[in-house]
Amino acid sequence: MRVLFIGDVYGSPGREMVELHLHKLKQEYRPQVIIANGENSAHGKGITSKIYRRFLELGINVITMGNHTFDNREIYEFIEDAKYLVRPGNMYKNAPGKDYVIYQCNQTKIAVVNLQGKTFMQTYSCPFAKIDELLPEIQKQADIIFVDFHAETTSEKIAMSWYLDGRVAAVVGTHTHVQTNDGRILPKGTAHLSDVGMTGPRDGIIGVTRETILERFTTGMSDRFTVATGPRQLSYAVIDIDDKTGKATKIQWQIIAEDIKL
Ligand SMILES: [Fe+2]
Ligand SMILES: [Fe+2]
């Protein structure tokens, strides 16, 4: 099975890049499963029902989330019915939504898990303990297990990949919005990439207008976040997994960058 993973889709610039390039990516890589992180897809904060449905229409099979899952309150109205939307599994026990999602592609079932890191982020339960708790029940239902680890630090992400080496097919990171160049297959067959990077405005600061973030850093004052405009990018990873063993055989990562004069 080949999986295409699209990193944090940020606001309308990110959604437009998905609209513009997904078809070409499908032709180029022929993925069987497409996963996208949608935690910032609604103006940088959360996701709406309309965006979720549009992602599915475009051929994205599973949407993962992160620390911004509940920032757009519309999600409370549809998260329980959103069969292919997964939020961090280690959120509070009673949080609405799913700890993992299972997607069936022909005869193969892939489980997609989303976990949130505990370093420099709001801490829920321990993501390491939570995945240990979830794996036995997931293994009964799926042939392949894919983890989107939504975390701030590369150390926590690398630690998670080694922790899960041989137990899941892939651990790819999201949240920092900056693609790392450390993709590899670990010795027991788990693909690792610390961060897939962002799909959205390239010349903002991780998606937000430069003025807003610079003001925050230089004066300590914070204004409302506004989605940056200008050239856009689409960040993705492609992971090949052996259906029989559930182990990864190859990982590639790339950014499509566009220069657009506004
Ligand atoms: Fe994000
Ligand atoms: Fe995030």
Side-chain angles (χ1 to χ4, degrees):
M1 174 183 285
R2 175 167 272 189
V3 178
L4 167 65
F5 186 97
I6 299 171
D8 299 48
V9 179
Y10 201 99
S12 56
R15 300 198 311 271
E16 284 157 17
M17 283 300 277
V18 174
E19 297 270 352
L20 281 169
H21 294 279
L22 189 58
H23 183 64
K24 279 181 275 176
L25 286 171
K26 283 187 203 172
Q27 284 184 330
E28 187 178 347
Y29 291 101
R30 306 252 164 225
Q32 277 84 47
V33 175
I34 304 175
I35 305 168
N37 183 293
E39 70 144 5
N40 307 114
S41 56
H43 206 67
K45 292 182 177 248
I47 190 168
T48 63
S49 166
K50 192 176 166 195
I51 295 170
Y52 168 71
R53 283 185 280 116
R54 181 63 187 151
F55 281 160
L56 295 185
E57 262 171 28
L58 288 169
I60 296 169
N61 307 113
V62 180
I63 289 100
T64 57
M65 298 297 285
N67 55 310
H68 291 296
T69 302
F70 296 103
D71 284 3
N72 186 310
R73 297 190 65 81
E74 193 184 311
I75 198 166
Y76 290 98
E77 291 162 28
F78 73 96
I79 191 167
E80 297 295 3
D81 300 322
K83 208 174 158 199
Y84 297 110
L85 188 137
V86 57
R87 51 108 177 106
N90 57 324
M91 278 186 159
Y92 295 123
K93 200 166 181 284
N94 295 326
K98 293 160 202 59
D99 289 350
Y100 58 90
V101 155
I102 294 182
Y103 176 77
Q104 179 151 7
C105 173
N106 300 322
Q107 299 307 309
T108 310
K109 285 180 182 161
I110 179 169
V112 182
V113 188
N114 187 200
L115 294 167
Q116 183 164 320
K118 55 181 171 178
T119 309
F120 304 142
M121 300 185 85
Q122 180 177 351
T123 310
Y124 298 110
S125 69
C126 172
F128 296 85
K130 186 68 193 187
I131 190 71
D132 277 342
E133 181 192 318
L134 288 175
L135 278 180
E137 69 176 81
I138 295 175
Q139 281 156 350
K140 281 185 212 148
Q141 303 169 65
D143 310 292
I144 289 170
I145 304 168
F146 190 101
V147 178
D148 167 358
F149 190 28
H150 198 78
E152 187 74 56
T153 68
T154 44
S155 63
E156 192 175 1
K157 290 165 167 177
I158 294 166
M160 181 62 83
S161 293
W162 281 105
Y163 190 64
L164 293 177
D165 186 23
R167 296 198 281 162
V168 305
V171 181
V172 299
T174 54
H175 178 67
T176 71
H177 294 192
V178 178
Q179 187 172 86
T180 57
N181 193 24
D182 64 338
R184 60 181 286 201
I185 308 292
L186 297 180
K188 292 180 184 164
T190 296
H192 162 82
L193 181 65
S194 287
D195 209 295
V196 179
M198 180 196 60
T199 297
R202 184 151 53 108
D203 290 345
I205 297 175
I206 63 168
V208 180
T209 48
R210 293 198 297 273
E211 297 73 20
T212 311
I213 301 294
L214 283 172
E215 189 189 354
R216 200 161 106 157
F217 276 118
T218 56
T219 69
M221 305 296 144
S222 61
D223 200 357
R224 264 178 72 100
F225 279 13
T226 313
V227 176
T229 53
R232 304 169 293 193
Q233 66 178 29
L234 187 152
S235 304
Y236 65 95
V238 178
I239 301 100
D240 293 340
I241 301 159
D242 184 319
D243 290 0
K244 292 208 170 56
T245 62
K247 306 213 175 206
T249 53
K250 188 178 177 186
I251 179 164
Q252 306 169 71
W253 55 97
Q254 193 65 256
I255 298 173
I256 299 172
E258 279 192 337
D259 278 303
I260 295 163
K261 300 252 185 312
L262 293 175

